[in-house]
Amino acid sequence: MNELKLYGSVGQDFWGEEYFTEADVSQFLANAEGDITVSLNSGGGVVSVGVAIYNQLRAYEGRKRVVIQGGAASIASVIALAGDDIVMGDGAMMMVHDPARWCTDGRGTEDDHRRVADGLAKAARNMAKLYARRTGLSEDEARAIMRAETWMDGEEALEQGFVTELAQDPDTDAEIAAFDYSLYRNAPAALKTSARSITSQISQPAMVAMIAGAPAQHRSQPMAKKPTPSRKPALPTASTDELEATAGDDTLEAADGEDTLDATEGEDSIEAADGDDTVEGGESDDEETGPATAAVLLDMTASFGLPAATAQHMIAKNMSPTQAAAHLASQVQGKNPMSASSRRGPSRASILRDERETMRAGLSGAIVAQMSRARDVEGPARQYMNMSLVEMAAHAIGHNGPMRTAADRIAVFEAAAHSTSDFPAIFENALHKRLLNSYEAQAPTYDLISERLDFKDFREVPLIRAGDFPDLQPIGENGEIKHGTFGESKETAILRSFGRQITISRHMMINDDLGAIDRVLSNYGQKVAQFEDKTFYTFALSAKMADGTAMFHTSRANLAGSGTALSVSSLDTGLQAMVQQKGLDGDVLGIVPSIILTGAKQSLKAKQIIAEVTPAKATDVNPYAGDFVHVQSPRITTNAWYLLTAPGGAGGTNWVHGFLDGAEGPRVRTEEPFGRQGMAVSIEHDFGVGAQDSRYGYKNPGAA
């Protein structure tokens, strides 16, 4: 079953370093199949993100099991409602309350506050509808529980209908998520005591920047300001498309109108921008509206990753911290309209199938599928099939800039190749798979006559000849079993490494010419298979045994004294020679060949012998019809022909071949990622052959 872990704050724009987003959930659901389990442990966060996650989970067709590991507070409790089964872990807590937000981006008029209040009321009513539908409570009862900011343990949540069962699995017992629970007025004392003091880690410039809806990083530069009250203001989301909860079905939708619901969980009251409990009019204190110091503006600029010239501009304009924050936000928004904020920490959405591996597999699979011109693509590769190669490289590195010109595309490839992105490994893996596909499509003949024996390493492997074991002896009356020895030959096989470098040109990459890249790899896959065939036959047809004598020699009774044409009669002679081969104890091994190996010159005669044709006369009967398989190799250029046993039979074979264990095929390694002339690709391969016996084959030099 697929499992998704949602730990930390809801949304990247809330306080804290641990969070998860709707994008994490969307990526998981795009590749999930069947039933899923969602493990939830969150103290709350950005409402718009939580609502998006709720809607995504609700729309998923498979059955959803939500397991609340440590806690589900505020908007996280709404996420939990998306489960068909909602399980409360041991010691876990659930909290429901009225939504709250920071009133406007700074200070606001009476109408501003009223608009916010109306939006909060609408959101609260619709959240109450969701709670009511799930629990069976009336909407008024749900609203009463929300207004009271109600904390529930497992038994209470089960009794009220917020969960469907209590966990019996001890693995569901988890610490409640790290969060500043002092935001909530009724949070258990233990949670408030253990809560991280997140606001104390954020400098005033960063705080002002976030209030203005801009991204900021935690920095240490202080800023003069009156003491902050103990009640912490809730921060708005940086999104420009704020959220409104709407009536209707079990969904919450984004708003198009004025009334917006920002991200924060807190008390029922709406606070002023300066942190006091009163709504003020007119100007704020001088500390807030006066020009910021150069040090503060430089620090804020650095927080946004913008050049010092931006700070110099703001200094010349005598901007206040609030004005500076708005200016910086507009600069960032202008640079990248797709992203209004930068992440302040790692996402804590963890997909047990590993979403990073899923992306790698998807991109790699899409590259392979496009090269091979596959039409029906399933699994994670499907979502990337409409992307070009440069678009996939951009996706792998998170590039959102333009790619209109050749220079843009070159920049993307260079960044993808030389950064810490996954693209080099993704592209290399795709090349490897495509090379293997082409390689495996070949049908070299050597594996029809040789036994496969893979190598653990590159040391010589001693080979033991079949048939060289002592015969069984009767056990005497006294129970004595006689000792025997087996013939240990000196034959060995060894694995060798081979390699060659090819180039995928710069033009192929920039032009997104996957067809040309595929032709290069397909040709080389065929080349590797041909290389194996050539290497094997070069060794096998001239092999010598450990005693220095050729494998096929008259002294071994496996070589005809004179060459004769392939016929029923000459074939019978060879068969009789193989049957009479002997083992260590002098016993006849009774070897029966099943393969006729020839080159092109003897191919027709071999096919005539093995053909099952009904003769006109009894004297024309072919007794060997159907008893042999014909194997033809272009490596045999003479009239010679061979009788051989097939690998995997009851006996043995004359030869062995193999690969490095676990690496049964060629592999690709990128050497110089996107250099001046393109991408250098090393094709490497480990292949070994050896002669293990001489008795399982017979050679006739042949005649025209």
Side-chain angles (χ1 to χ4, degrees), residues 446-479:
Y446 72 83
D447 60 352
L448 299 175
I449 63 174
S450 174
E451 180 183 353
R452 177 166 165 172
L453 175 68
D454 287 347
F455 299 79
K456 297 294 184 183
D457 49 41
F458 291 91
R459 290 175 292 185
E460 286 190 347
V461 176
L463 303 174
I464 298 176
R465 302 196 311 176
D468 282 355
F469 293 89
D471 205 356
L472 294 175
Q473 297 292 327
I475 299 177
E477 293 182 0
N478 59 359

PDB file of all heavy atoms in Angstrom, residues 446-479:
ATOM      1  N   TYR A 446      26.840 -17.621 -29.708  1.00  0.00           N
ATOM      2  CA  TYR A 446      27.751 -18.311 -28.789  1.00  0.00           C
ATOM      3  C   TYR A 446      27.033 -18.869 -27.566  1.00  0.00           C
ATOM      4  O   TYR A 446      27.428 -19.888 -27.002  1.00  0.00           O
ATOM      5  CB  TYR A 446      28.899 -17.389 -28.369  1.00  0.00           C
ATOM      6  CG  TYR A 446      28.481 -16.279 -27.427  1.00  0.00           C
ATOM      7  CD1 TYR A 446      28.372 -16.489 -26.051  1.00  0.00           C
ATOM      8  CD2 TYR A 446      28.204 -15.006 -27.909  1.00  0.00           C
ATOM      9  CE1 TYR A 446      27.986 -15.482 -25.198  1.00  0.00           C
ATOM     10  CE2 TYR A 446      27.821 -13.994 -27.064  1.00  0.00           C
ATOM     11  CZ  TYR A 446      27.715 -14.231 -25.701  1.00  0.00           C
ATOM     12  OH  TYR A 446      27.326 -13.238 -24.858  1.00  0.00           O
ATOM     13  N   ASP A 447      25.960 -18.191 -27.123  1.00  0.00           N
ATOM     14  CA  ASP A 447      25.284 -18.679 -25.923  1.00  0.00           C
ATOM     15  C   ASP A 447      24.465 -19.943 -26.185  1.00  0.00           C
ATOM     16  O   ASP A 447      23.922 -20.540 -25.246  1.00  0.00           O
ATOM     17  CB  ASP A 447      24.406 -17.589 -25.298  1.00  0.00           C
ATOM     18  CG  ASP A 447      23.326 -17.092 -26.234  1.00  0.00           C
ATOM     19  OD1 ASP A 447      23.348 -17.473 -27.413  1.00  0.00           O
ATOM     20  OD2 ASP A 447      22.466 -16.316 -25.783  1.00  0.00           O
ATOM     21  N   LEU A 448      24.377 -20.378 -27.453  1.00  0.00           N
ATOM     22  CA  LEU A 448      23.715 -21.639 -27.771  1.00  0.00           C
ATOM     23  C   LEU A 448      24.641 -22.833 -27.609  1.00  0.00           C
ATOM     24  O   LEU A 448      24.186 -23.984 -27.556  1.00  0.00           O
ATOM     25  CB  LEU A 448      23.183 -21.612 -29.207  1.00  0.00           C
ATOM     26  CG  LEU A 448      22.147 -20.529 -29.536  1.00  0.00           C
ATOM     27  CD1 LEU A 448      21.816 -20.565 -31.023  1.00  0.00           C
ATOM     28  CD2 LEU A 448      20.899 -20.714 -28.693  1.00  0.00           C
ATOM     29  N   ILE A 449      25.950 -22.565 -27.536  1.00  0.00           N
ATOM     30  CA  ILE A 449      26.915 -23.673 -27.467  1.00  0.00           C
ATOM     31  C   ILE A 449      27.825 -23.584 -26.256  1.00  0.00           C
ATOM     32  O   ILE A 449      28.691 -24.436 -26.059  1.00  0.00           O
ATOM     33  CB  ILE A 449      27.784 -23.714 -28.749  1.00  0.00           C
ATOM     34  CG1 ILE A 449      28.610 -22.448 -28.879  1.00  0.00           C
ATOM     35  CG2 ILE A 449      26.902 -23.901 -29.982  1.00  0.00           C
ATOM     36  CD1 ILE A 449      29.593 -22.471 -30.033  1.00  0.00           C
ATOM     37  N   SER A 450      27.644 -22.560 -25.407  1.00  0.00           N
ATOM     38  CA  SER A 450      28.532 -22.350 -24.270  1.00  0.00           C
ATOM     39  C   SER A 450      27.715 -22.233 -22.991  1.00  0.00           C
ATOM     40  O   SER A 450      26.611 -21.679 -22.985  1.00  0.00           O
ATOM     41  CB  SER A 450      29.356 -21.072 -24.489  1.00  0.00           C
ATOM     42  OG  SER A 450      30.123 -20.756 -23.351  1.00  0.00           O
ATOM     43  N   GLU A 451      28.259 -22.727 -21.907  1.00  0.00           N
ATOM     44  CA  GLU A 451      27.595 -22.654 -20.609  1.00  0.00           C
ATOM     45  C   GLU A 451      27.904 -21.317 -19.949  1.00  0.00           C
ATOM     46  O   GLU A 451      29.052 -20.874 -19.926  1.00  0.00           O
ATOM     47  CB  GLU A 451      28.086 -23.795 -19.714  1.00  0.00           C
ATOM     48  CG  GLU A 451      27.453 -23.806 -18.328  1.00  0.00           C
ATOM     49  CD  GLU A 451      28.015 -24.906 -17.447  1.00  0.00           C
ATOM     50  OE1 GLU A 451      28.802 -25.742 -17.965  1.00  0.00           O
ATOM     51  OE2 GLU A 451      27.692 -24.925 -16.253  1.00  0.00           O
ATOM     52  N   ARG A 452      26.884 -20.700 -19.408  1.00  0.00           N
ATOM     53  CA  ARG A 452      27.095 -19.411 -18.741  1.00  0.00           C
ATOM     54  C   ARG A 452      27.554 -19.624 -17.312  1.00  0.00           C
ATOM     55  O   ARG A 452      26.952 -20.368 -16.542  1.00  0.00           O
ATOM     56  CB  ARG A 452      25.812 -18.576 -18.762  1.00  0.00           C
ATOM     57  CG  ARG A 452      25.944 -17.266 -18.019  1.00  0.00           C
ATOM     58  CD  ARG A 452      24.820 -16.327 -18.337  1.00  0.00           C
ATOM     59  NE  ARG A 452      24.742 -15.240 -17.384  1.00  0.00           N
ATOM     60  CZ  ARG A 452      23.944 -14.196 -17.506  1.00  0.00           C
ATOM     61  NH1 ARG A 452      23.167 -14.102 -18.569  1.00  0.00           N
ATOM     62  NH2 ARG A 452      23.920 -13.248 -16.590  1.00  0.00           N
ATOM     63  N   LEU A 453      28.604 -18.912 -16.954  1.00  0.00           N
ATOM     64  CA  LEU A 453      29.170 -18.988 -15.609  1.00  0.00           C
ATOM     65  C   LEU A 453      29.604 -17.585 -15.214  1.00  0.00           C
ATOM     66  O   LEU A 453      30.662 -17.107 -15.634  1.00  0.00           O
ATOM     67  CB  LEU A 453      30.365 -19.949 -15.575  1.00  0.00           C
ATOM     68  CG  LEU A 453      31.126 -20.043 -14.244  1.00  0.00           C
ATOM     69  CD1 LEU A 453      30.245 -20.689 -13.181  1.00  0.00           C
ATOM     70  CD2 LEU A 453      32.413 -20.849 -14.427  1.00  0.00           C
ATOM     71  N   ASP A 454      28.799 -16.865 -14.409  1.00  0.00           N
ATOM     72  CA  ASP A 454      29.130 -15.492 -14.043  1.00  0.00           C
ATOM     73  C   ASP A 454      30.236 -15.452 -13.000  1.00  0.00           C
ATOM     74  O   ASP A 454      30.410 -16.374 -12.202  1.00  0.00           O
ATOM     75  CB  ASP A 454      27.887 -14.764 -13.539  1.00  0.00           C
ATOM     76  CG  ASP A 454      26.921 -14.436 -14.672  1.00  0.00           C
ATOM     77  OD1 ASP A 454      27.336 -14.548 -15.841  1.00  0.00           O
ATOM     78  OD2 ASP A 454      25.764 -14.079 -14.400  1.00  0.00           O
ATOM     79  N   PHE A 455      30.960 -14.342 -12.983  1.00  0.00           N
ATOM     80  CA  PHE A 455      32.152 -14.184 -12.162  1.00  0.00           C
ATOM     81  C   PHE A 455      31.853 -13.289 -10.966  1.00  0.00           C
ATOM     82  O   PHE A 455      31.203 -12.256 -11.096  1.00  0.00           O
ATOM     83  CB  PHE A 455      33.278 -13.567 -12.992  1.00  0.00           C
ATOM     84  CG  PHE A 455      33.698 -14.390 -14.176  1.00  0.00           C
ATOM     85  CD1 PHE A 455      32.948 -14.401 -15.352  1.00  0.00           C
ATOM     86  CD2 PHE A 455      34.850 -15.158 -14.134  1.00  0.00           C
ATOM     87  CE1 PHE A 455      33.325 -15.152 -16.443  1.00  0.00           C
ATOM     88  CE2 PHE A 455      35.246 -15.916 -15.231  1.00  0.00           C
ATOM     89  CZ  PHE A 455      34.487 -15.914 -16.390  1.00  0.00           C
ATOM     90  N   LYS A 456      32.353 -13.663  -9.803  1.00  0.00           N
ATOM     91  CA  LYS A 456      32.200 -12.846  -8.601  1.00  0.00           C
ATOM     92  C   LYS A 456      33.166 -11.672  -8.597  1.00  0.00           C
ATOM     93  O   LYS A 456      32.907 -10.638  -7.990  1.00  0.00           O
ATOM     94  CB  LYS A 456      32.430 -13.691  -7.345  1.00  0.00           C
ATOM     95  CG  LYS A 456      31.434 -14.823  -7.161  1.00  0.00           C
ATOM     96  CD  LYS A 456      30.032 -14.290  -6.918  1.00  0.00           C
ATOM     97  CE  LYS A 456      29.051 -15.430  -6.646  1.00  0.00           C
ATOM     98  NZ  LYS A 456      27.666 -14.935  -6.472  1.00  0.00           N
ATOM     99  N   ASP A 457      34.330 -11.850  -9.235  1.00  0.00           N
ATOM    100  CA  ASP A 457      35.341 -10.808  -9.296  1.00  0.00           C
ATOM    101  C   ASP A 457      36.212 -11.069 -10.516  1.00  0.00           C
ATOM    102  O   ASP A 457      35.831 -11.832 -11.411  1.00  0.00           O
ATOM    103  CB  ASP A 457      36.171 -10.767  -8.007  1.00  0.00           C
ATOM    104  CG  ASP A 457      36.680 -12.135  -7.584  1.00  0.00           C
ATOM    105  OD1 ASP A 457      37.100 -12.899  -8.481  1.00  0.00           O
ATOM    106  OD2 ASP A 457      36.657 -12.450  -6.382  1.00  0.00           O
ATOM    107  N   PHE A 458      37.377 -10.455 -10.551  1.00  0.00           N
ATOM    108  CA  PHE A 458      38.234 -10.556 -11.730  1.00  0.00           C
ATOM    109  C   PHE A 458      39.366 -11.579 -11.558  1.00  0.00           C
ATOM    110  O   PHE A 458      40.310 -11.594 -12.340  1.00  0.00           O
ATOM    111  CB  PHE A 458      38.817  -9.174 -12.064  1.00  0.00           C
ATOM    112  CG  PHE A 458      37.774  -8.210 -12.565  1.00  0.00           C
ATOM    113  CD1 PHE A 458      37.093  -7.378 -11.692  1.00  0.00           C
ATOM    114  CD2 PHE A 458      37.455  -8.153 -13.911  1.00  0.00           C
ATOM    115  CE1 PHE A 458      36.133  -6.497 -12.145  1.00  0.00           C
ATOM    116  CE2 PHE A 458      36.496  -7.279 -14.377  1.00  0.00           C
ATOM    117  CZ  PHE A 458      35.824  -6.446 -13.493  1.00  0.00           C
ATOM    118  N   ARG A 459      39.283 -12.417 -10.568  1.00  0.00           N
ATOM    119  CA  ARG A 459      40.279 -13.469 -10.394  1.00  0.00           C
ATOM    120  C   ARG A 459      39.952 -14.665 -11.300  1.00  0.00           C
ATOM    121  O   ARG A 459      38.801 -14.880 -11.662  1.00  0.00           O
ATOM    122  CB  ARG A 459      40.319 -13.920  -8.934  1.00  0.00           C
ATOM    123  CG  ARG A 459      40.909 -12.872  -7.991  1.00  0.00           C
ATOM    124  CD  ARG A 459      40.817 -13.309  -6.556  1.00  0.00           C
ATOM    125  NE  ARG A 459      39.426 -13.355  -6.103  1.00  0.00           N
ATOM    126  CZ  ARG A 459      39.076 -13.615  -4.845  1.00  0.00           C
ATOM    127  NH1 ARG A 459      40.001 -13.876  -3.941  1.00  0.00           N
ATOM    128  NH2 ARG A 459      37.798 -13.622  -4.504  1.00  0.00           N
ATOM    129  N   GLU A 460      40.984 -15.450 -11.611  1.00  0.00           N
ATOM    130  CA  GLU A 460      40.776 -16.654 -12.413  1.00  0.00           C
ATOM    131  C   GLU A 460      39.870 -17.637 -11.681  1.00  0.00           C
ATOM    132  O   GLU A 460      39.995 -17.820 -10.467  1.00  0.00           O
ATOM    133  CB  GLU A 460      42.111 -17.332 -12.735  1.00  0.00           C
ATOM    134  CG  GLU A 460      42.937 -16.601 -13.786  1.00  0.00           C
ATOM    135  CD  GLU A 460      44.127 -17.432 -14.231  1.00  0.00           C
ATOM    136  OE1 GLU A 460      44.431 -18.446 -13.559  1.00  0.00           O
ATOM    137  OE2 GLU A 460      44.755 -17.076 -15.239  1.00  0.00           O
ATOM    138  N   VAL A 461      38.969 -18.252 -12.429  1.00  0.00           N
ATOM    139  CA  VAL A 461      38.033 -19.220 -11.850  1.00  0.00           C
ATOM    140  C   VAL A 461      38.442 -20.618 -12.305  1.00  0.00           C
ATOM    141  O   VAL A 461      38.467 -20.896 -13.510  1.00  0.00           O
ATOM    142  CB  VAL A 461      36.586 -18.926 -12.293  1.00  0.00           C
ATOM    143  CG1 VAL A 461      35.632 -19.992 -11.754  1.00  0.00           C
ATOM    144  CG2 VAL A 461      36.159 -17.538 -11.843  1.00  0.00           C
ATOM    145  N   PRO A 462      38.790 -21.518 -11.375  1.00  0.00           N
ATOM    146  CA  PRO A 462      39.129 -22.895 -11.774  1.00  0.00           C
ATOM    147  C   PRO A 462      37.882 -23.627 -12.242  1.00  0.00           C
ATOM    148  O   PRO A 462      36.791 -23.466 -11.694  1.00  0.00           O
ATOM    149  CB  PRO A 462      39.695 -23.503 -10.486  1.00  0.00           C
ATOM    150  CG  PRO A 462      39.084 -22.699  -9.385  1.00  0.00           C
ATOM    151  CD  PRO A 462      38.930 -21.303  -9.916  1.00  0.00           C
ATOM    152  N   LEU A 463      38.030 -24.430 -13.269  1.00  0.00           N
ATOM    153  CA  LEU A 463      36.912 -25.158 -13.858  1.00  0.00           C
ATOM    154  C   LEU A 463      37.072 -26.649 -13.616  1.00  0.00           C
ATOM    155  O   LEU A 463      38.151 -27.210 -13.829  1.00  0.00           O
ATOM    156  CB  LEU A 463      36.834 -24.894 -15.362  1.00  0.00           C
ATOM    157  CG  LEU A 463      36.703 -23.419 -15.768  1.00  0.00           C
ATOM    158  CD1 LEU A 463      36.780 -23.276 -17.277  1.00  0.00           C
ATOM    159  CD2 LEU A 463      35.400 -22.834 -15.243  1.00  0.00           C
ATOM    160  N   ILE A 464      36.017 -27.314 -13.146  1.00  0.00           N
ATOM    161  CA  ILE A 464      36.034 -28.760 -12.882  1.00  0.00           C
ATOM    162  C   ILE A 464      35.300 -29.463 -14.011  1.00  0.00           C
ATOM    163  O   ILE A 464      34.163 -29.114 -14.344  1.00  0.00           O
ATOM    164  CB  ILE A 464      35.370 -29.079 -11.526  1.00  0.00           C
ATOM    165  CG1 ILE A 464      36.147 -28.400 -10.394  1.00  0.00           C
ATOM    166  CG2 ILE A 464      35.286 -30.576 -11.312  1.00  0.00           C
ATOM    167  CD1 ILE A 464      35.516 -28.579  -9.035  1.00  0.00           C
ATOM    168  N   ARG A 465      35.943 -30.438 -14.612  1.00  0.00           N
ATOM    169  CA  ARG A 465      35.347 -31.135 -15.748  1.00  0.00           C
ATOM    170  C   ARG A 465      34.263 -32.104 -15.286  1.00  0.00           C
ATOM    171  O   ARG A 465      34.449 -32.856 -14.331  1.00  0.00           O
ATOM    172  CB  ARG A 465      36.415 -31.908 -16.512  1.00  0.00           C
ATOM    173  CG  ARG A 465      37.535 -31.030 -17.028  1.00  0.00           C
ATOM    174  CD  ARG A 465      38.354 -31.726 -18.093  1.00  0.00           C
ATOM    175  NE  ARG A 465      38.775 -33.066 -17.696  1.00  0.00           N
ATOM    176  CZ  ARG A 465      39.438 -33.891 -18.505  1.00  0.00           C
ATOM    177  NH1 ARG A 465      39.712 -33.500 -19.746  1.00  0.00           N
ATOM    178  NH2 ARG A 465      39.817 -35.082 -18.101  1.00  0.00           N
ATOM    179  N   ALA A 466      33.135 -32.080 -15.951  1.00  0.00           N
ATOM    180  CA  ALA A 466      32.083 -33.053 -15.665  1.00  0.00           C
ATOM    181  C   ALA A 466      32.574 -34.446 -16.038  1.00  0.00           C
ATOM    182  O   ALA A 466      33.303 -34.633 -17.001  1.00  0.00           O
ATOM    183  CB  ALA A 466      30.817 -32.717 -16.454  1.00  0.00           C
ATOM    184  N   GLY A 467      32.176 -35.453 -15.274  1.00  0.00           N
ATOM    185  CA  GLY A 467      32.561 -36.831 -15.563  1.00  0.00           C
ATOM    186  C   GLY A 467      33.833 -37.258 -14.881  1.00  0.00           C
ATOM    187  O   GLY A 467      34.221 -38.420 -14.967  1.00  0.00           O
ATOM    188  N   ASP A 468      34.518 -36.317 -14.203  1.00  0.00           N
ATOM    189  CA  ASP A 468      35.774 -36.668 -13.554  1.00  0.00           C
ATOM    190  C   ASP A 468      35.596 -36.916 -12.063  1.00  0.00           C
ATOM    191  O   ASP A 468      36.451 -36.562 -11.247  1.00  0.00           O
ATOM    192  CB  ASP A 468      36.813 -35.563 -13.778  1.00  0.00           C
ATOM    193  CG  ASP A 468      37.409 -35.633 -15.167  1.00  0.00           C
ATOM    194  OD1 ASP A 468      37.073 -36.588 -15.882  1.00  0.00           O
ATOM    195  OD2 ASP A 468      38.194 -34.752 -15.537  1.00  0.00           O
ATOM    196  N   PHE A 469      34.503 -37.501 -11.699  1.00  0.00           N
ATOM    197  CA  PHE A 469      34.257 -37.855 -10.306  1.00  0.00           C
ATOM    198  C   PHE A 469      34.375 -39.373 -10.159  1.00  0.00           C
ATOM    199  O   PHE A 469      34.019 -40.137 -11.066  1.00  0.00           O
ATOM    200  CB  PHE A 469      32.858 -37.388  -9.864  1.00  0.00           C
ATOM    201  CG  PHE A 469      32.730 -35.893  -9.825  1.00  0.00           C
ATOM    202  CD1 PHE A 469      32.331 -35.197 -10.953  1.00  0.00           C
ATOM    203  CD2 PHE A 469      33.024 -35.186  -8.678  1.00  0.00           C
ATOM    204  CE1 PHE A 469      32.219 -33.823 -10.937  1.00  0.00           C
ATOM    205  CE2 PHE A 469      32.913 -33.805  -8.650  1.00  0.00           C
ATOM    206  CZ  PHE A 469      32.507 -33.119  -9.779  1.00  0.00           C
ATOM    207  N   PRO A 470      34.900 -39.849  -9.039  1.00  0.00           N
ATOM    208  CA  PRO A 470      35.066 -41.296  -8.848  1.00  0.00           C
ATOM    209  C   PRO A 470      33.727 -42.014  -8.811  1.00  0.00           C
ATOM    210  O   PRO A 470      32.719 -41.460  -8.350  1.00  0.00           O
ATOM    211  CB  PRO A 470      35.795 -41.388  -7.513  1.00  0.00           C
ATOM    212  CG  PRO A 470      35.432 -40.125  -6.800  1.00  0.00           C
ATOM    213  CD  PRO A 470      35.321 -39.072  -7.854  1.00  0.00           C
ATOM    214  N   ASP A 471      33.739 -43.253  -9.290  1.00  0.00           N
ATOM    215  CA  ASP A 471      32.524 -44.052  -9.320  1.00  0.00           C
ATOM    216  C   ASP A 471      32.197 -44.530  -7.912  1.00  0.00           C
ATOM    217  O   ASP A 471      33.059 -44.616  -7.030  1.00  0.00           O
ATOM    218  CB  ASP A 471      32.747 -45.262 -10.242  1.00  0.00           C
ATOM    219  CG  ASP A 471      31.427 -45.775 -10.799  1.00  0.00           C
ATOM    220  OD1 ASP A 471      30.372 -45.235 -10.395  1.00  0.00           O
ATOM    221  OD2 ASP A 471      31.462 -46.693 -11.635  1.00  0.00           O
ATOM    222  N   LEU A 472      30.912 -44.773  -7.655  1.00  0.00           N
ATOM    223  CA  LEU A 472      30.507 -45.308  -6.359  1.00  0.00           C
ATOM    224  C   LEU A 472      31.050 -46.731  -6.190  1.00  0.00           C
ATOM    225  O   LEU A 472      31.149 -47.497  -7.146  1.00  0.00           O
ATOM    226  CB  LEU A 472      28.979 -45.321  -6.250  1.00  0.00           C
ATOM    227  CG  LEU A 472      28.287 -43.947  -6.235  1.00  0.00           C
ATOM    228  CD1 LEU A 472      26.773 -44.135  -6.239  1.00  0.00           C
ATOM    229  CD2 LEU A 472      28.718 -43.138  -5.021  1.00  0.00           C
ATOM    230  N   GLN A 473      31.395 -47.114  -4.948  1.00  0.00           N
ATOM    231  CA  GLN A 473      31.916 -48.434  -4.620  1.00  0.00           C
ATOM    232  C   GLN A 473      31.026 -49.088  -3.576  1.00  0.00           C
ATOM    233  O   GLN A 473      30.406 -48.398  -2.750  1.00  0.00           O
ATOM    234  CB  GLN A 473      33.351 -48.324  -4.085  1.00  0.00           C
ATOM    235  CG  GLN A 473      34.354 -47.761  -5.083  1.00  0.00           C
ATOM    236  CD  GLN A 473      34.597 -48.718  -6.235  1.00  0.00           C
ATOM    237  OE1 GLN A 473      34.553 -49.953  -6.066  1.00  0.00           O
ATOM    238  NE2 GLN A 473      34.838 -48.169  -7.420  1.00  0.00           N
ATOM    239  N   PRO A 474      30.934 -50.429  -3.587  1.00  0.00           N
ATOM    240  CA  PRO A 474      30.109 -51.111  -2.566  1.00  0.00           C
ATOM    241  C   PRO A 474      30.658 -50.824  -1.159  1.00  0.00           C
ATOM    242  O   PRO A 474      31.864 -50.689  -0.956  1.00  0.00           O
ATOM    243  CB  PRO A 474      30.265 -52.591  -2.920  1.00  0.00           C
ATOM    244  CG  PRO A 474      30.726 -52.610  -4.336  1.00  0.00           C
ATOM    245  CD  PRO A 474      31.554 -51.381  -4.518  1.00  0.00           C
ATOM    246  N   ILE A 475      29.749 -50.724  -0.219  1.00  0.00           N
ATOM    247  CA  ILE A 475      30.139 -50.549   1.186  1.00  0.00           C
ATOM    248  C   ILE A 475      30.329 -51.930   1.800  1.00  0.00           C
ATOM    249  O   ILE A 475      29.460 -52.803   1.694  1.00  0.00           O
ATOM    250  CB  ILE A 475      29.063 -49.758   1.956  1.00  0.00           C
ATOM    251  CG1 ILE A 475      28.891 -48.359   1.341  1.00  0.00           C
ATOM    252  CG2 ILE A 475      29.424 -49.658   3.434  1.00  0.00           C
ATOM    253  CD1 ILE A 475      27.800 -47.547   1.982  1.00  0.00           C
ATOM    254  N   GLY A 476      31.487 -52.142   2.405  1.00  0.00           N
ATOM    255  CA  GLY A 476      31.796 -53.442   2.996  1.00  0.00           C
ATOM    256  C   GLY A 476      30.919 -53.776   4.177  1.00  0.00           C
ATOM    257  O   GLY A 476      30.166 -52.924   4.695  1.00  0.00           O
ATOM    258  N   GLU A 477      31.033 -55.021   4.639  1.00  0.00           N
ATOM    259  CA  GLU A 477      30.215 -55.468   5.773  1.00  0.00           C
ATOM    260  C   GLU A 477      30.527 -54.681   7.035  1.00  0.00           C
ATOM    261  O   GLU A 477      29.684 -54.545   7.927  1.00  0.00           O
ATOM    262  CB  GLU A 477      30.443 -56.967   6.012  1.00  0.00           C
ATOM    263  CG  GLU A 477      29.927 -57.848   4.872  1.00  0.00           C
ATOM    264  CD  GLU A 477      30.125 -59.318   5.177  1.00  0.00           C
ATOM    265  OE1 GLU A 477      30.669 -59.628   6.266  1.00  0.00           O
ATOM    266  OE2 GLU A 477      29.723 -60.145   4.343  1.00  0.00           O
ATOM    267  N   ASN A 478      31.760 -54.210   7.137  1.00  0.00           N
ATOM    268  CA  ASN A 478      32.136 -53.435   8.321  1.00  0.00           C
ATOM    269  C   ASN A 478      31.709 -51.967   8.206  1.00  0.00           C
ATOM    270  O   ASN A 478      32.047 -51.151   9.067  1.00  0.00           O
ATOM    271  CB  ASN A 478      33.644 -53.525   8.557  1.00  0.00           C
ATOM    272  CG  ASN A 478      34.438 -53.001   7.363  1.00  0.00           C
ATOM    273  OD1 ASN A 478      33.848 -52.593   6.361  1.00  0.00           O
ATOM    274  ND2 ASN A 478      35.757 -53.007   7.479  1.00  0.00           N
ATOM    275  N   GLY A 479      31.005 -51.609   7.115  1.00  0.00           N
ATOM    276  CA  GLY A 479      30.516 -50.231   6.943  1.00  0.00           C
ATOM    277  C   GLY A 479      31.548 -49.273   6.392  1.00  0.00           C
ATOM    278  O   GLY A 479      31.301 -48.059   6.342  1.00  0.00           O
TER     279      GLY A 479
END
